[in-house]
Each structure stands twice: as structure tokens, then as C-alpha cells.
PDB file of all heavy atoms in Angstrom:
ATOM      1  N   HIS A  88       0.809  -1.276  -0.011  1.00 97.00           N
ATOM      2  CA  HIS A  88       0.015  -0.019  -0.036  1.00 97.00           C
ATOM      3  C   HIS A  88       0.875   1.277   0.014  1.00 97.00           C
ATOM      4  O   HIS A  88       0.591   2.252   0.663  1.00 97.00           O
ATOM      5  CB  HIS A  88      -0.903  -0.021   1.161  1.00 97.00           C
ATOM      6  CG  HIS A  88      -2.003  -0.976   1.010  1.00 97.00           C
ATOM      7  ND1 HIS A  88      -3.125  -1.064   1.947  1.00 97.00           N
ATOM      8  CD2 HIS A  88      -2.306  -1.939   0.147  1.00 97.00           C
ATOM      9  CE1 HIS A  88      -3.972  -2.084   1.606  1.00 97.00           C
ATOM     10  NE2 HIS A  88      -3.437  -2.590   0.505  1.00 97.00           N
ATOM     11  N   PHE A  89       1.968   1.203  -0.777  1.00 97.00           N
ATOM     12  CA  PHE A  89       2.879   2.284  -0.989  1.00 97.00           C
ATOM     13  C   PHE A  89       2.693   2.849  -2.361  1.00 97.00           C
ATOM     14  O   PHE A  89       2.532   4.086  -2.481  1.00 97.00           O
ATOM     15  CB  PHE A  89       4.294   1.705  -0.694  1.00 97.00           C
ATOM     16  CG  PHE A  89       5.376   2.794  -0.964  1.00 97.00           C
ATOM     17  CD1 PHE A  89       5.682   3.760  -0.074  1.00 97.00           C
ATOM     18  CD2 PHE A  89       6.234   2.699  -2.126  1.00 97.00           C
ATOM     19  CE1 PHE A  89       6.696   4.725  -0.297  1.00 97.00           C
ATOM     20  CE2 PHE A  89       7.298   3.529  -2.314  1.00 97.00           C
ATOM     21  CZ  PHE A  89       7.460   4.570  -1.399  1.00 97.00           C
ATOM     22  N   ALA A  90       2.604   2.029  -3.293  1.00 97.00           N
ATOM     23  CA  ALA A  90       2.330   2.393  -4.666  1.00 97.00           C
ATOM     24  C   ALA A  90       0.855   2.251  -5.057  1.00 97.00           C
ATOM     25  O   ALA A  90       0.193   1.308  -4.511  1.00 97.00           O
ATOM     26  CB  ALA A  90       3.232   1.607  -5.620  1.00 97.00           C
ATOM     27  N   ALA A  91       0.420   3.017  -5.975  1.00 97.00           N
ATOM     28  CA  ALA A  91      -1.054   3.040  -6.282  1.00 97.00           C
ATOM     29  C   ALA A  91      -1.406   1.830  -7.114  1.00 97.00           C
ATOM     30  O   ALA A  91      -2.531   1.301  -7.003  1.00 97.00           O
ATOM     31  CB  ALA A  91      -1.318   4.304  -7.086  1.00 97.00           C
ATOM     32  N   ASP A  92      -0.546   1.348  -7.949  1.00 97.00           N
ATOM     33  CA  ASP A  92      -0.824   0.143  -8.803  1.00 97.00           C
ATOM     34  C   ASP A  92       0.535  -0.414  -9.351  1.00 97.00           C
ATOM     35  O   ASP A  92       1.486   0.047  -8.904  1.00 97.00           O
ATOM     36  CB  ASP A  92      -1.759   0.505  -9.948  1.00 97.00           C
ATOM     37  CG  ASP A  92      -1.246   1.771 -10.859  1.00 97.00           C
ATOM     38  OD1 ASP A  92      -0.061   1.887 -10.888  1.00 97.00           O
ATOM     39  OD2 ASP A  92      -2.021   2.516 -11.255  1.00 97.00           O
ATOM     40  N   THR A  93       0.386  -1.429 -10.202  1.00 97.00           N
ATOM     41  CA  THR A  93       1.594  -2.058 -10.630  1.00 97.00           C
ATOM     42  C   THR A  93       2.536  -1.184 -11.381  1.00 97.00           C
ATOM     43  O   THR A  93       3.722  -1.225 -11.252  1.00 97.00           O
ATOM     44  CB  THR A  93       1.223  -3.287 -11.563  1.00 97.00           C
ATOM     45  OG1 THR A  93       0.425  -4.209 -10.693  1.00 97.00           O
ATOM     46  CG2 THR A  93       2.421  -4.066 -11.901  1.00 97.00           C
ATOM     47  N   THR A  94       1.961  -0.321 -12.235  1.00 97.00           N
ATOM     48  CA  THR A  94       2.788   0.664 -13.031  1.00 97.00           C
ATOM     49  C   THR A  94       3.483   1.583 -12.084  1.00 97.00           C
ATOM     50  O   THR A  94       4.670   1.903 -12.254  1.00 97.00           O
ATOM     51  CB  THR A  94       1.898   1.478 -14.006  1.00 97.00           C
ATOM     52  OG1 THR A  94       1.263   0.535 -14.877  1.00 97.00           O
ATOM     53  CG2 THR A  94       2.671   2.376 -14.849  1.00 97.00           C
ATOM     54  N   ASP A  95       2.722   2.071 -11.074  1.00 97.00           N
ATOM     55  CA  ASP A  95       3.347   3.010 -10.089  1.00 97.00           C
ATOM     56  C   ASP A  95       4.438   2.300  -9.354  1.00 97.00           C
ATOM     57  O   ASP A  95       5.434   2.866  -9.010  1.00 97.00           O
ATOM     58  CB  ASP A  95       2.244   3.545  -9.167  1.00 97.00           C
ATOM     59  CG  ASP A  95       2.730   4.618  -8.252  1.00 97.00           C
ATOM     60  OD1 ASP A  95       3.512   5.526  -8.737  1.00 97.00           O
ATOM     61  OD2 ASP A  95       2.416   4.657  -7.092  1.00 97.00           O
ATOM     62  N   SER A  96       4.192   0.994  -9.081  1.00 98.00           N
ATOM     63  CA  SER A  96       5.301   0.237  -8.390  1.00 98.00           C
ATOM     64  C   SER A  96       6.562   0.238  -9.199  1.00 98.00           C
ATOM     65  O   SER A  96       7.705   0.474  -8.590  1.00 98.00           O
ATOM     66  CB  SER A  96       4.820  -1.278  -8.081  1.00 98.00           C
ATOM     67  OG  SER A  96       3.776  -1.319  -7.313  1.00 98.00           O
ATOM     68  N   GLY A  97       6.537  -0.051 -10.447  1.00 98.00           N
ATOM     69  CA  GLY A  97       7.700  -0.006 -11.306  1.00 98.00           C
ATOM     70  C   GLY A  97       8.402   1.275 -11.346  1.00 98.00           C
ATOM     71  O   GLY A  97       9.678   1.449 -11.310  1.00 98.00           O
ATOM     72  N   VAL A  98       7.628   2.345 -11.457  1.00 98.00           N
ATOM     73  CA  VAL A  98       8.109   3.707 -11.599  1.00 98.00           C
ATOM     74  C   VAL A  98       8.836   4.108 -10.295  1.00 98.00           C
ATOM     75  O   VAL A  98       9.966   4.648 -10.296  1.00 98.00           O
ATOM     76  CB  VAL A  98       7.001   4.685 -11.831  1.00 98.00           C
ATOM     77  CG1 VAL A  98       7.399   6.192 -11.639  1.00 98.00           C
ATOM     78  CG2 VAL A  98       6.400   4.511 -13.248  1.00 98.00           C
ATOM     79  N   ARG A  99       8.258   3.712  -9.095  1.00 98.00           N
ATOM     80  CA  ARG A  99       8.826   4.225  -7.859  1.00 98.00           C
ATOM     81  C   ARG A  99      10.100   3.319  -7.509  1.00 98.00           C
ATOM     82  O   ARG A  99      10.987   3.894  -6.865  1.00 98.00           O
ATOM     83  CB  ARG A  99       7.778   4.031  -6.741  1.00 98.00           C
ATOM     84  CG  ARG A  99       6.597   5.039  -7.013  1.00 98.00           C
ATOM     85  CD  ARG A  99       5.563   5.069  -5.910  1.00 98.00           C
ATOM     86  NE  ARG A  99       6.060   5.741  -4.766  1.00 98.00           N
ATOM     87  CZ  ARG A  99       5.250   6.171  -3.758  1.00 98.00           C
ATOM     88  NH1 ARG A  99       3.963   5.896  -3.865  1.00 98.00           N
ATOM     89  NH2 ARG A  99       5.725   6.755  -2.681  1.00 98.00           N
ATOM     90  N   ALA A 100      10.116   2.098  -7.948  1.00 98.00           N
ATOM     91  CA  ALA A 100      11.239   1.257  -7.605  1.00 98.00           C
ATOM     92  C   ALA A 100      12.438   1.810  -8.476  1.00 98.00           C
ATOM     93  O   ALA A 100      13.578   1.984  -8.020  1.00 98.00           O
ATOM     94  CB  ALA A 100      10.958  -0.222  -7.968  1.00 98.00           C
ATOM     95  N   LEU A 101      12.158   1.945  -9.776  1.00 98.00           N
ATOM     96  CA  LEU A 101      13.275   2.439 -10.668  1.00 98.00           C
ATOM     97  C   LEU A 101      13.770   3.819 -10.198  1.00 98.00           C
ATOM     98  O   LEU A 101      14.967   4.108 -10.104  1.00 98.00           O
ATOM     99  CB  LEU A 101      12.818   2.580 -12.104  1.00 98.00           C
ATOM    100  CG  LEU A 101      13.828   2.941 -13.106  1.00 98.00           C
ATOM    101  CD1 LEU A 101      14.750   1.788 -13.406  1.00 98.00           C
ATOM    102  CD2 LEU A 101      13.245   3.447 -14.421  1.00 98.00           C
ATOM    103  N   ASN A 102      12.871   4.796  -9.845  1.00 98.00           N
ATOM    104  CA  ASN A 102      13.303   6.072  -9.537  1.00 98.00           C
ATOM    105  C   ASN A 102      13.998   6.087  -8.119  1.00 98.00           C
ATOM    106  O   ASN A 102      14.800   6.969  -7.867  1.00 98.00           O
ATOM    107  CB  ASN A 102      12.096   7.002  -9.541  1.00 98.00           C
ATOM    108  CG  ASN A 102      11.650   7.416 -10.904  1.00 98.00           C
ATOM    109  OD1 ASN A 102      12.352   7.262 -11.945  1.00 98.00           O
ATOM    110  ND2 ASN A 102      10.402   7.765 -11.001  1.00 98.00           N
ATOM    111  N   ALA A 103      13.666   5.096  -7.314  1.00 98.00           N
ATOM    112  CA  ALA A 103      14.381   5.031  -6.050  1.00 98.00           C
ATOM    113  C   ALA A 103      15.845   4.498  -6.151  1.00 98.00           C
ATOM    114  O   ALA A 103      16.610   4.842  -5.350  1.00 98.00           O
ATOM    115  CB  ALA A 103      13.589   4.010  -5.158  1.00 98.00           C
ATOM    116  N   GLY A 104      16.141   3.823  -7.197  1.00 98.00           N
ATOM    117  CA  GLY A 104      17.438   3.341  -7.407  1.00 98.00           C
ATOM    118  C   GLY A 104      17.602   1.859  -7.777  1.00 98.00           C
ATOM    119  O   GLY A 104      18.737   1.400  -8.025  1.00 98.00           O
ATOM    120  N   VAL A 105      16.440   1.142  -8.018  1.00 98.00           N
ATOM    121  CA  VAL A 105      16.519  -0.237  -8.524  1.00 98.00           C
ATOM    122  C   VAL A 105      16.838  -0.243  -9.998  1.00 98.00           C
ATOM    123  O   VAL A 105      16.287   0.599 -10.839  1.00 98.00           O
ATOM    124  CB  VAL A 105      15.127  -0.993  -8.339  1.00 98.00           C
ATOM    125  CG1 VAL A 105      15.084  -2.226  -9.051  1.00 98.00           C
ATOM    126  CG2 VAL A 105      14.889  -1.133  -6.873  1.00 98.00           C
ATOM    127  N   ASP A 106      17.739  -1.153 -10.423  1.00 98.00           N
ATOM    128  CA  ASP A 106      18.141  -1.254 -11.801  1.00 98.00           C
ATOM    129  C   ASP A 106      17.547  -2.345 -12.559  1.00 98.00           C
ATOM    130  O   ASP A 106      17.349  -2.367 -13.764  1.00 98.00           O
ATOM    131  CB  ASP A 106      19.679  -1.377 -11.949  1.00 98.00           C
ATOM    132  CG  ASP A 106      20.370  -0.169 -11.362  1.00 98.00           C
ATOM    133  OD1 ASP A 106      20.030   0.974 -11.769  1.00 98.00           O
ATOM    134  OD2 ASP A 106      21.233  -0.292 -10.528  1.00 98.00           O
ATOM    135  N   MET A 107      17.229  -3.477 -11.782  1.00 98.00           N
ATOM    136  CA  MET A 107      16.579  -4.689 -12.324  1.00 98.00           C
ATOM    137  C   MET A 107      15.604  -5.219 -11.434  1.00 98.00           C
ATOM    138  O   MET A 107      15.781  -5.312 -10.273  1.00 98.00           O
ATOM    139  CB  MET A 107      17.751  -5.737 -12.689  1.00 98.00           C
ATOM    140  CG  MET A 107      17.161  -7.048 -13.268  1.00 98.00           C
ATOM    141  SD  MET A 107      18.481  -8.291 -13.608  1.00 98.00           S
ATOM    142  CE  MET A 107      19.103  -7.618 -15.144  1.00 98.00           C
ATOM    143  N   GLU A 108      14.442  -5.688 -11.965  1.00 98.00           N
ATOM    144  CA  GLU A 108      13.435  -6.373 -11.092  1.00 98.00           C
ATOM    145  C   GLU A 108      13.503  -7.867 -11.393  1.00 98.00           C
ATOM    146  O   GLU A 108      13.468  -8.308 -12.507  1.00 98.00           O
ATOM    147  CB  GLU A 108      12.129  -5.875 -11.507  1.00 98.00           C
ATOM    148  CG  GLU A 108      11.060  -6.503 -10.680  1.00 98.00           C
ATOM    149  CD  GLU A 108       9.590  -6.091 -10.963  1.00 98.00           C
ATOM    150  OE1 GLU A 108       9.381  -5.489 -11.982  1.00 98.00           O
ATOM    151  OE2 GLU A 108       8.692  -6.512 -10.205  1.00 98.00           O
ATOM    152  N   MET A 109      13.605  -8.538 -10.252  1.00 96.00           N
ATOM    153  CA  MET A 109      13.481 -10.079 -10.311  1.00 96.00           C
ATOM    154  C   MET A 109      12.035 -10.405 -10.210  1.00 96.00           C
ATOM    155  O   MET A 109      11.337 -10.001  -9.207  1.00 96.00           O
ATOM    156  CB  MET A 109      14.247 -10.673  -9.149  1.00 96.00           C
ATOM    157  CG  MET A 109      14.187 -12.262  -9.079  1.00 96.00           C
ATOM    158  SD  MET A 109      14.664 -12.902  -7.476  1.00 96.00           S
ATOM    159  CE  MET A 109      16.373 -12.370  -7.329  1.00 96.00           C
ATOM    160  N   GLY A 110      11.489 -10.978 -11.239  1.00 91.00           N
ATOM    161  CA  GLY A 110      10.034 -11.221 -11.321  1.00 91.00           C
ATOM    162  C   GLY A 110       9.673 -12.655 -11.388  1.00 91.00           C
ATOM    163  O   GLY A 110      10.231 -13.392 -12.189  1.00 91.00           O
ATOM    164  N   ILE A 111       8.596 -13.008 -10.691  1.00 84.00           N
ATOM    165  CA  ILE A 111       8.029 -14.336 -10.788  1.00 84.00           C
ATOM    166  C   ILE A 111       6.708 -14.130 -11.605  1.00 84.00           C
ATOM    167  O   ILE A 111       6.451 -14.808 -12.607  1.00 84.00           O
ATOM    168  CB  ILE A 111       7.744 -14.968  -9.520  1.00 84.00           C
ATOM    169  CG1 ILE A 111       9.036 -15.005  -8.680  1.00 84.00           C
ATOM    170  CG2 ILE A 111       7.129 -16.343  -9.627  1.00 84.00           C
ATOM    171  CD1 ILE A 111       8.790 -15.608  -7.207  1.00 84.00           C
ATOM    172  N   PHE A 112       5.856 -13.260 -11.117  1.00 74.00           N
ATOM    173  CA  PHE A 112       4.531 -13.106 -11.618  1.00 74.00           C
ATOM    174  C   PHE A 112       4.494 -11.716 -12.343  1.00 74.00           C
ATOM    175  O   PHE A 112       4.205 -10.659 -11.615  1.00 74.00           O
ATOM    176  CB  PHE A 112       3.468 -13.225 -10.584  1.00 74.00           C
ATOM    177  CG  PHE A 112       3.600 -14.418  -9.806  1.00 74.00           C
ATOM    178  CD1 PHE A 112       4.021 -14.473  -8.558  1.00 74.00           C
ATOM    179  CD2 PHE A 112       3.201 -15.716 -10.405  1.00 74.00           C
ATOM    180  CE1 PHE A 112       4.088 -15.631  -7.785  1.00 74.00           C
ATOM    181  CE2 PHE A 112       3.331 -16.873  -9.640  1.00 74.00           C
ATOM    182  CZ  PHE A 112       3.728 -16.916  -8.305  1.00 74.00           C
ATOM    183  N   GLN A 113       4.556 -11.584 -13.597  1.00 85.00           N
ATOM    184  CA  GLN A 113       4.451 -10.389 -14.433  1.00 85.00           C
ATOM    185  C   GLN A 113       4.963  -9.206 -13.682  1.00 85.00           C
ATOM    186  O   GLN A 113       4.299  -8.340 -13.063  1.00 85.00           O
ATOM    187  CB  GLN A 113       2.937 -10.225 -14.692  1.00 85.00           C
ATOM    188  CG  GLN A 113       2.369 -11.250 -15.508  1.00 85.00           C
ATOM    189  CD  GLN A 113       0.858 -11.268 -15.665  1.00 85.00           C
ATOM    190  OE1 GLN A 113       0.155 -10.971 -14.730  1.00 85.00           O
ATOM    191  NE2 GLN A 113       0.357 -11.341 -16.863  1.00 85.00           N
ATOM    192  N   PRO A 114       6.296  -9.017 -13.842  1.00 92.00           N
ATOM    193  CA  PRO A 114       7.006  -7.869 -13.106  1.00 92.00           C
ATOM    194  C   PRO A 114       6.388  -6.500 -13.370  1.00 92.00           C
ATOM    195  O   PRO A 114       5.903  -6.273 -14.438  1.00 92.00           O
ATOM    196  CB  PRO A 114       8.466  -8.006 -13.632  1.00 92.00           C
ATOM    197  CG  PRO A 114       8.546  -9.414 -14.199  1.00 92.00           C
ATOM    198  CD  PRO A 114       7.310  -9.742 -14.615  1.00 92.00           C
ATOM    199  N   ALA A 115       6.530  -5.614 -12.408  1.00 96.00           N
ATOM    200  CA  ALA A 115       6.061  -4.280 -12.538  1.00 96.00           C
ATOM    201  C   ALA A 115       6.882  -3.535 -13.668  1.00 96.00           C
ATOM    202  O   ALA A 115       6.375  -2.639 -14.247  1.00 96.00           O
ATOM    203  CB  ALA A 115       6.240  -3.601 -11.176  1.00 96.00           C
ATOM    204  N   PHE A 116       8.132  -3.961 -13.843  1.00 97.00           N
ATOM    205  CA  PHE A 116       8.968  -3.245 -14.853  1.00 97.00           C
ATOM    206  C   PHE A 116       8.411  -3.596 -16.332  1.00 97.00           C
ATOM    207  O   PHE A 116       8.865  -2.866 -17.165  1.00 97.00           O
ATOM    208  CB  PHE A 116      10.356  -3.719 -14.775  1.00 97.00           C
ATOM    209  CG  PHE A 116      11.263  -2.988 -13.790  1.00 97.00           C
ATOM    210  CD1 PHE A 116      10.570  -2.296 -12.726  1.00 97.00           C
ATOM    211  CD2 PHE A 116      12.644  -2.925 -13.949  1.00 97.00           C
ATOM    212  CE1 PHE A 116      11.347  -1.513 -11.735  1.00 97.00           C
ATOM    213  CE2 PHE A 116      13.375  -2.222 -12.950  1.00 97.00           C
ATOM    214  CZ  PHE A 116      12.691  -1.502 -11.882  1.00 97.00           C
ATOM    215  N   GLU A 117       7.501  -4.505 -16.487  1.00 94.00           N
ATOM    216  CA  GLU A 117       6.948  -4.716 -17.836  1.00 94.00           C
ATOM    217  C   GLU A 117       6.090  -3.514 -18.238  1.00 94.00           C
ATOM    218  O   GLU A 117       5.820  -3.295 -19.388  1.00 94.00           O
ATOM    219  CB  GLU A 117       6.051  -5.970 -17.822  1.00 94.00           C
ATOM    220  CG  GLU A 117       6.723  -7.225 -17.702  1.00 94.00           C
ATOM    221  CD  GLU A 117       5.864  -8.479 -17.701  1.00 94.00           C
ATOM    222  OE1 GLU A 117       4.706  -8.277 -17.517  1.00 94.00           O
ATOM    223  OE2 GLU A 117       6.381  -9.608 -18.025  1.00 94.00           O
ATOM    224  N   HIS A 118       5.792  -2.601 -17.231  1.00 96.00           N
ATOM    225  CA  HIS A 118       4.974  -1.458 -17.485  1.00 96.00           C
ATOM    226  C   HIS A 118       5.717  -0.186 -17.681  1.00 96.00           C
ATOM    227  O   HIS A 118       5.181   0.844 -17.874  1.00 96.00           O
ATOM    228  CB  HIS A 118       3.975  -1.218 -16.337  1.00 96.00           C
ATOM    229  CG  HIS A 118       3.054  -2.405 -16.100  1.00 96.00           C
ATOM    230  ND1 HIS A 118       1.728  -2.358 -16.677  1.00 96.00           N
ATOM    231  CD2 HIS A 118       3.107  -3.535 -15.443  1.00 96.00           C
ATOM    232  CE1 HIS A 118       1.068  -3.531 -16.274  1.00 96.00           C
ATOM    233  NE2 HIS A 118       1.926  -4.245 -15.660  1.00 96.00           N
ATOM    234  N   LEU A 119       7.085  -0.265 -17.636  1.00 97.00           N
ATOM    235  CA  LEU A 119       7.909   0.902 -17.763  1.00 97.00           C
ATOM    236  C   LEU A 119       7.883   1.546 -19.166  1.00 97.00           C
ATOM    237  O   LEU A 119       7.986   2.815 -19.116  1.00 97.00           O
ATOM    238  CB  LEU A 119       9.368   0.502 -17.368  1.00 97.00           C
ATOM    239  CG  LEU A 119       9.699   0.314 -15.900  1.00 97.00           C
ATOM    240  CD1 LEU A 119      11.149  -0.042 -15.694  1.00 97.00           C
ATOM    241  CD2 LEU A 119       9.377   1.522 -15.082  1.00 97.00           C
ATOM    242  N   THR A 120       7.741   0.841 -20.138  1.00 96.00           N
ATOM    243  CA  THR A 120       7.635   1.409 -21.492  1.00 96.00           C
ATOM    244  C   THR A 120       6.567   2.502 -21.524  1.00 96.00           C
ATOM    245  O   THR A 120       6.827   3.611 -22.005  1.00 96.00           O
ATOM    246  CB  THR A 120       7.423   0.402 -22.564  1.00 96.00           C
ATOM    247  OG1 THR A 120       8.536  -0.574 -22.495  1.00 96.00           O
ATOM    248  CG2 THR A 120       7.559   1.015 -23.916  1.00 96.00           C
ATOM    249  N   GLN A 121       5.391   2.092 -21.021  1.00 96.00           N
ATOM    250  CA  GLN A 121       4.240   3.058 -21.094  1.00 96.00           C
ATOM    251  C   GLN A 121       4.560   4.217 -20.120  1.00 96.00           C
ATOM    252  O   GLN A 121       4.186   5.361 -20.446  1.00 96.00           O
ATOM    253  CB  GLN A 121       2.955   2.326 -20.669  1.00 96.00           C
ATOM    254  CG  GLN A 121       1.736   3.196 -20.736  1.00 96.00           C
ATOM    255  CD  GLN A 121       1.412   3.674 -22.147  1.00 96.00           C
ATOM    256  OE1 GLN A 121       1.391   2.889 -23.121  1.00 96.00           O
ATOM    257  NE2 GLN A 121       1.288   5.077 -22.310  1.00 96.00           N
ATOM    258  N   ALA A 122       5.156   3.915 -18.937  1.00 96.00           N
ATOM    259  CA  ALA A 122       5.422   4.928 -18.031  1.00 96.00           C
ATOM    260  C   ALA A 122       6.420   6.092 -18.592  1.00 96.00           C
ATOM    261  O   ALA A 122       6.341   7.164 -18.357  1.00 96.00           O
ATOM    262  CB  ALA A 122       5.954   4.450 -16.719  1.00 96.00           C
ATOM    263  N   ILE A 123       7.358   5.467 -19.370  1.00 96.00           N
ATOM    264  CA  ILE A 123       8.278   6.382 -20.040  1.00 96.00           C
ATOM    265  C   ILE A 123       7.625   7.251 -21.061  1.00 96.00           C
ATOM    266  O   ILE A 123       7.845   8.548 -21.131  1.00 96.00           O
ATOM    267  CB  ILE A 123       9.453   5.586 -20.704  1.00 96.00           C
ATOM    268  CG1 ILE A 123      10.295   4.805 -19.701  1.00 96.00           C
ATOM    269  CG2 ILE A 123      10.332   6.468 -21.520  1.00 96.00           C
ATOM    270  CD1 ILE A 123      11.197   3.722 -20.213  1.00 96.00           C
ATOM    271  N   ASP A 124       6.653   6.581 -21.794  1.00 95.00           N
ATOM    272  CA  ASP A 124       6.004   7.428 -22.826  1.00 95.00           C
ATOM    273  C   ASP A 124       5.029   8.460 -22.167  1.00 95.00           C
ATOM    274  O   ASP A 124       4.868   9.507 -22.739  1.00 95.00           O
ATOM    275  CB  ASP A 124       5.086   6.451 -23.683  1.00 95.00           C
ATOM    276  CG  ASP A 124       5.880   5.491 -24.575  1.00 95.00           C
ATOM    277  OD1 ASP A 124       7.076   5.908 -24.815  1.00 95.00           O
ATOM    278  OD2 ASP A 124       5.350   4.544 -25.003  1.00 95.00           O
ATOM    279  N   ASP A 125       4.646   8.123 -20.939  1.00 95.00           N
ATOM    280  CA  ASP A 125       3.733   9.098 -20.179  1.00 95.00           C
ATOM    281  C   ASP A 125       4.534  10.096 -19.386  1.00 95.00           C
ATOM    282  O   ASP A 125       4.012  11.051 -18.744  1.00 95.00           O
ATOM    283  CB  ASP A 125       2.866   8.313 -19.192  1.00 95.00           C
ATOM    284  CG  ASP A 125       1.883   7.366 -19.875  1.00 95.00           C
ATOM    285  OD1 ASP A 125       1.602   7.542 -21.060  1.00 95.00           O
ATOM    286  OD2 ASP A 125       1.343   6.483 -19.190  1.00 95.00           O
TER     287      ASP A 125
END
């Protein structure tokens, strides 16, 4: 309950300093392309 949704999770992790996401179930970083466009 820190990020609003999965896209927000990826954005906040990357901007905090994460470079790579280890994902089991559809990683949040899959949404980064749209977040960059936005």
C-alpha cells in the first residue's frame, strides 16, 4: 500500500534506485515502457 498500482510500483522502484526487477509473476517493470511514454 505504498504504490497506487503495478505501473506505479515499477516507476517508484526504478526512480528509487533499482536497476533490475527479479520477477516471478508479471513484473512491474513490464509497465515501464508506457510509463516512459507518459
Side-chain angles (χ1 to χ4, degrees):
H88 289 184
F89 177 71
D92 51 34
T93 304
T94 300
D95 191 38
S96 294
V98 169
R99 297 184 75 167
L101 185 76
N102 287 337
V105 169
D106 298 308
M107 177 182 283
E108 180 182 10
M109 180 195 298
I111 303 176
F112 307 108
Q113 298 174 314
F116 274 23
E117 289 182 343
H118 299 264
L119 284 180
T120 301
Q121 185 61 50
I123 294 165
D124 291 343
D125 293 343

